[in-house]
Amino acid sequence: MSGALKLEFAPLATRPRGVLVLFCEEGLKFGSAARRVIEPTGDLVMRAAAADRFKGKNGSALDLVAPPGLDLPRLVIVGVGKGRDLKPRDFVKLGGLAMGKIPAAASEATIVADLAGGGIKPDQVADIALGVRLRAYAFERYKTKRKEGEERAAEVKVTILVAGVAAVQKASAVREAVASGVLIARDLVNEPANVLYPEEFARRAGNLKKLGVAVDVLDIKEMKKLGMNALLGVGQGSEHESRTVIMRWNGGKRSAAPVAFIGKGVCFDTGGISIKPAQSMEDMKGDMAGAACVVGLMHALAARKAKVNAVGAIGLVENMPDGRAQRPGDIVTTMSGQTIEIINTDAEGRLVLADVLHYVNKRFKPRFMVDLATLTGAIIVALGQEYAGLFANDDKLADRLVKAGNEIGERVWRMPLGPEYDKLIDSKFADMKNTGGRYGGAITAAQLLQRFVDKTPWAHLDIAGTGMGSPQTDINKSWGSGFGVRLLDRLVADYYEK
Ligand code: BES
Ligand code: MN
Ligand code: ZN
């Protein structure tokens, strides 16, 4: 992480310190608290706005250095457009914009949470704070020096001035839990594969125990006994041993069936014997973004004490070429008993998920399963990096995911499944093969997963385009995005608690 963020709330009357950030609606309309704060500057703001043609449009900003009349290094005015049109995700974005306007070298800043329409609600201020936290993240663990002029403060203290501190603090505590989950996921995705191999990943998932999550790690011996040969086949060419991690948060009724989240955790994907070209192969350290999201989500649920029983399960492997590696043509018997012919060792994620999905379904009989995986390049061709691909055998679950995604701004687009696609993975020698030809690659991958979920409501999120290297936004400047944590937290909060 970058210079640590210290975020606090204080009453509106508190004297601002450091970089001062105010919001302003279209037509240069300020709230009463903001007006009071800039009063000593006379007509400075109006003159600067006119000179810069700043009108308060959403996303625009006016930046004044050492403003006369204020004993502050900088005054930033962030435009919000029309205040009453703002949705929750817009407040998160505003927090991100505000944080982005605070120079990296600054150690102190004050944001006045105040709009012309009067009374920002506690939830809306908490959303601003969430945006601040998400934007403040940077993965800088391996930066040992800084160029001149690019220095960063060791810690930045951001104070948000609000009308009712207690109510905002309460609303913010829940979002802080979720934000931490997102940052944990980002850290895992950004971490290089020489550091984050399956055992180390499992060890880090073990940190969840501190929050009351039960964490069980299956080693190779146990997975062999269970018959998880598809997962083990992927990892057999690696010097690093494979692991499966099962995380359980029991915040719901004792007898209630859990919801379940399953993540692809390929700590590095060389392609194996069907080796990938060198171009961009380094990105394959992020092929565990699905698993990272599941860990981040379990953190979020436990930290906010969600009233739900939830299972997180991640299959952790490294896909390497080696004398012992799996070959094209090999046939593996999965834990479910179904057999898979390996056509391409680079279609490994579905092999890992086949066993973990079956394991979770059989052991926990969950209400639903959602898996997340950086599964195919084909989904990036289809949807770019704005939407994750959504595949489901259950319309209700799919609709809920679409809705939750639109609300919080992690969007998913439903893709088709069907028997015409399914038959493309029938094999001459086994029950199925692990690739379905050139066309519809994201769909045939999902069809293979569907063969391992039985009748349980299930959704698959192909996050190859959104989990890593996705376009930078106001609330994420990092390579690993943590995509999915907020989406699934919202799914649980809106539909599966209580
Ligand atoms: N991890 C990759 C998919 C991927 C590609 C993720 C680019 C993120 C960015 C996956 O294991 C893979 O290699 N898929 C192959 C499947 C093919 C061999 C059928 C692909 O998409 O090319
Ligand atoms: Mn692959
Ligand atoms: Zn992969």
Side-chain angles (χ1 to χ4, degrees):
M1 280 225 244
S2 64
L5 170 71
K6 201 162 159 240
L7 185 61
E8 283 171 5
F9 302 99
L12 277 178
T14 311
R15 205 166 72 85
R17 298 165 61 104
V19 177
L20 173 61
V21 184
L22 306 176
F23 297 112
C24 144
E25 291 184 52
E26 220 162 271
L28 289 184
K29 286 185 278 186
F30 289 91
S32 52
R35 267 203 310 272
R36 194 163 4 94
V37 171
I38 53 175
E39 207 193 60
T41 64
D43 62 354
L44 171 75
V45 170
M46 290 304 154
R47 279 173 41 225
D52 213 24
R53 294 168 186 258
F54 173 82
K55 299 196 176 65
K57 216 171 104 278
N58 188 288
S60 65
L62 186 65
D63 199 347
L64 304 172
V65 179
L70 291 176
D71 187 19
L72 298 171
R74 190 182 284 263
L75 168 62
V76 183
I77 298 174
V78 173
V80 308
K82 292 203 178 61
R84 65 184 143 76
D85 291 352
L86 298 176
K87 297 186 174 61
R89 62 164 189 269
D90 298 317
F91 283 97
V92 181
K93 189 180 137 182
L94 281 180
L97 273 169
M99 188 64 210
K101 288 290 166 190
I102 300 169
S107 58
E108 196 158 29
T110 305
I111 301 173
V112 181
D114 171 43
L115 285 181
I120 301 194
K121 295 193 186 77
D123 273 335
Q124 297 170 330
V125 182
D127 277 333
I128 292 176
L130 170 63
V132 168
R133 286 187 209 282
L134 295 176
R135 174 62 178 260
Y137 173 87
F139 183 76
E140 297 184 329
R141 189 166 294 164
Y142 300 101
K143 292 272 192 193
T144 67
K145 39 186 161 237
R146 290 241 154 241
K147 294 208 177 80
E148 221 181 287
E150 292 179 10
E151 293 86 358
R152 274 176 180 272
E155 181 187 271
V156 54
K157 183 177 168 198
V158 175
T159 306
I160 305 185
L161 305 190
V162 299
V165 173
V168 170
Q169 266 164 348
K170 188 161 169 248
S172 191
V174 172
R175 289 167 181 75
E176 188 179 353
V178 180
S180 306
V182 175
L183 303 196
I184 286 168
R186 286 181 186 172
D187 265 347
L188 289 167
V189 176
N190 288 324
E191 197 72 86
N194 60 327
V195 175
L196 193 70
Y197 44 88
E199 279 174 281
E200 172 62 13
F201 199 129
R203 193 191 65 74
R204 292 197 191 184
N207 289 336
L208 289 168
K209 286 185 211 157
K210 293 178 205 149
L211 295 175
V213 177
V215 182
D216 295 317
V217 180
L218 305 180
D219 63 15
I220 290 189
K221 207 170 131 213
E222 290 163 295
M223 287 189 279
K224 268 196 183 134
K225 213 168 135 201
L226 287 162
M228 300 174 84
N229 299 310
L231 183 153
L232 289 169
V234 175
Q236 79 189 27
S238 171
E239 290 296 318
H240 292 297
E241 287 194 7
S242 303
R243 293 285 184 269
T244 290
V245 181
I246 315 295
M247 298 153 270
R248 279 171 296 155
W249 166 251
N250 290 320
K253 294 212 182 71
R254 191 177 267 280
S255 59
V259 296
F261 302 97
I262 292 95
K264 167 177 172 180
V266 177
C267 292
F268 196 80
D269 181 13
T270 64
I273 295 300
S274 316
I275 197 163
K276 287 179 180 295
Q279 176 80 45
S280 301
M281 201 206 273
E282 69 278 10
D283 286 351
M284 286 302 116
K285 73 173 184 176
D287 208 18
M288 29 52 71
C293 172
V294 171
V295 172
L297 175 67
M298 294 304 288
H299 174 98
L301 295 177
R304 70 173 181 79
K305 301 198 166 27
K307 292 191 182 64
V308 69
N309 296 335
V311 172
I314 54 181
L316 302 169
V317 300
E318 186 181 55
N319 188 21
M320 298 292 271
D322 181 75
R324 281 185 311 240
Q326 145 167 288
R327 291 153 291 260
D330 283 5
I331 294 175
V332 292
T333 301
T334 64
M335 183 182 170
S336 77
Q338 301 176 88
T339 57
I340 309 179
E341 181 190 8
I342 312 299
I343 302 298
N344 188 320
T345 64
D346 196 12
E348 84 297 340
R350 63 200 77 181
L351 300 170
V352 173
L353 289 173
D355 274 337
V356 182
L357 282 166
H358 176 81
Y359 174 88
V360 169
N361 201 20
K362 187 172 161 193
R363 174 164 169 203
F364 296 105
K365 307 205 172 9
R367 292 175 72 179
F368 69 72
M369 299 196 282
V370 174
D371 78 73
L372 299 107
T374 48
L375 204 62
T376 67
I379 201 67
I380 312 179
V381 175
L383 297 177
Q385 299 192 286
E386 303 301 331
Y387 285 78
L390 160 65
F391 301 82
N393 63 1
D394 184 275
D395 292 343
K396 196 160 88 182
L397 180 59
D399 290 346
R400 288 172 171 184
L401 281 162
V402 169
K403 193 151 171 258
N406 288 336
E407 273 168 24
I408 62 108
E410 289 183 344
R411 292 172 301 173
V412 299
W413 193 265
R414 190 159 182 194
M415 302 282 288
L417 290 166
E420 306 82 354
Y421 296 113
D422 186 72
K423 69 170 193 266
L424 298 177
I425 55 167
D426 287 338
S427 154
K428 254 199 299 252
F429 299 104
D431 296 333
M432 69 196 88
K433 53 188 180 180
N434 78 330
T435 62
R438 255 164 49 78
Y439 295 161
I443 306 173
T444 47
Q447 291 293 163
L448 187 141
L449 302 183
Q450 191 177 6
R451 291 189 182 201
F452 294 86
V453 301
D454 225 343
K455 297 276 182 290
T456 303
W458 155 80
H460 155 58
L461 297 174
D462 194 334
I463 59 168
T466 53
M468 54 164 150
S470 41
Q472 302 204 338
T473 65
D474 293 322
I475 54 171
N476 180 41
K477 295 291 161 193
S478 150
W479 185 75
S481 66
F483 183 99
V485 175
R486 290 195 301 131
L487 166 69
L488 297 175
D489 175 75
R490 175 52 72 91
L491 176 78
V492 170
D494 282 357
Y495 302 104
Y496 298 96
E497 283 189 67
K498 275 165 254 157

